[in-house]
Amino acid sequence: MEEKAKGNLVIIGGAEDKHGESKILKYVVDMIGGSEAKLMILTTPTEQPEEVGNEYRNVFSRLGVNNIDVLNINSRDDANVDEYAERIKNSSGIFFTGGDQLRITSILGGTKAYTALQEGYRNGVAIIGTSAGASVMSSTMIVDGNSNDPARKCTLKMAPGLALLEEAIIDQHFDQRGRIGRLLCGVAENPYMLGIGIDEDTAIRVYPDAHFEVIGTNAITVIDGKSIKSSNVSELKPDEILAITDVTLHVLPAGYGFDMSKREVLRLH
């Protein structure tokens, strides 16, 4: 698919700085229009919507956003309420909190809220997600898998995501939770996809032309499976250690970017 991205995304690896310099969240505020922005905070991923919603409302207020709408869509009935869909459509930025990515897809998928989200995205509304809200951005998302373990076959659970970003698998809290093994498994199973592992307090800003820039204090890891010569991922021995050869791996801090169409690293400054 040529169109890997259709709009503006900020995908955050979780545990972003909320009380100090807040580099990533400040970037988000500038991107969506500063004090004039209409920011929608969607707390669907979390089971503590009030607490999480209030925390982000306070953070974004401190950063200068005056118009903040916290919306807890907690069921598929909620997701089909016309008024909620309208509020989503009229936002200039939509922020998904952390929590459980399967809550997002199972509650929003195929509803009026989901249609409004897709429409807004195509019309230039920025979509921002942290942690679980990051994983859900891609067409195929990691739901579960072993952290801090060697890469093993058959230990990864994946499911369809929101498909805002095509041909990519996102993983978050990446270096901090030792998730390279599970992302390698995901790429071995889907070699045409880019694996993008995003560290905590780090994000990528994805542009409509499918290139992205790295923001924040740590790094992102890009795993490109197109170069793979062989792997044992399809062999019938579950829980075997993964074998994979000639995979391409890039580690990129702020100041770098990546062209997803050409599969090329960009040196920005």
Side-chain angles (χ1 to χ4, degrees), residues 37-258:
K38 289 183 179 175
L39 177 64
M40 160 77 69
I41 296 169
L42 272 178
T43 57
T44 304
T46 179
E47 292 185 2
Q48 286 92 38
E50 217 163 288
E51 187 186 319
V52 172
N54 284 338
E55 182 183 27
Y56 277 107
R57 186 197 292 279
N58 293 338
V59 169
F60 282 112
S61 292
R62 177 178 70 82
L63 295 175
V65 182
N66 298 320
N67 190 339
I68 300 170
D69 187 2
V70 178
L71 180 58
N72 181 35
I73 292 179
N74 199 32
S75 67
R76 290 184 63 78
D77 284 343
D78 289 348
N80 278 309
V81 171
D82 288 328
E83 183 214 333
Y84 293 168
E86 276 306 304
R87 281 159 64 182
I88 288 170
K89 242 189 285 192
N90 293 329
S91 306
S92 50
I94 297 164
F95 184 94
F96 281 100
T97 68
D100 178 351
Q101 51 267 45
L102 264 182
R103 277 182 60 82
I104 303 172
T105 51
S106 63
I107 290 172
L108 296 187
T111 64
K112 290 177 180 176
Y114 177 75
T115 303
L117 182 77
Q118 291 277 359
E119 265 179 49
Y121 176 57
R122 283 195 296 273
N123 293 329
V125 175
I127 314 287
I128 305 106
T130 184
S131 194
S135 287
V136 81
M137 298 283 194
S138 49
S139 44
T140 302
M141 66 179 183
I142 293 176
V143 175
D144 195 18
N146 296 343
S147 299
N148 286 312
D149 262 356
R152 286 183 187 275
K153 295 153 48 177
C154 304
T155 53
L156 191 67
K157 290 181 189 164
M158 293 204 280
L162 291 178
L164 303 176
L165 185 65
E166 298 286 351
E167 295 182 17
I169 304 168
I170 305 288
D171 208 351
Q172 19 78 6
H173 301 282
F174 191 67
D175 187 54
Q176 290 74 17
R177 297 190 187 174
R179 288 180 164 173
I180 191 161
R182 74 184 204 172
L183 191 56
L184 279 166
C185 270
V187 172
E189 289 176 14
N190 304 275
Y192 68 96
M193 288 194 183
L194 279 173
I196 304 172
I198 307 177
D199 289 353
E200 293 179 355
D201 196 37
T202 307
I204 58 171
R205 157 79 189 275
V206 187
Y207 290 84
D209 67 356
H211 89 276
F212 64 72
E213 297 175 4
V214 182
I215 313 158
T217 57
N218 290 305
I220 67 133
T221 301
V222 179
I223 300 174
D224 187 350
K226 280 199 171 175
S227 60
I228 292 172
K229 292 269 176 69
S230 68
S231 82
N232 66 349
V233 77
S234 63
E235 292 168 19
L236 298 175
K237 290 177 185 168
D239 296 335
E240 189 177 41
I241 295 286
L242 177 72
I244 186 169
T245 67
D246 292 277
V247 67
T248 303
L249 188 144
H250 311 283
V251 178
L252 308 174
Y256 285 81
F258 195 83

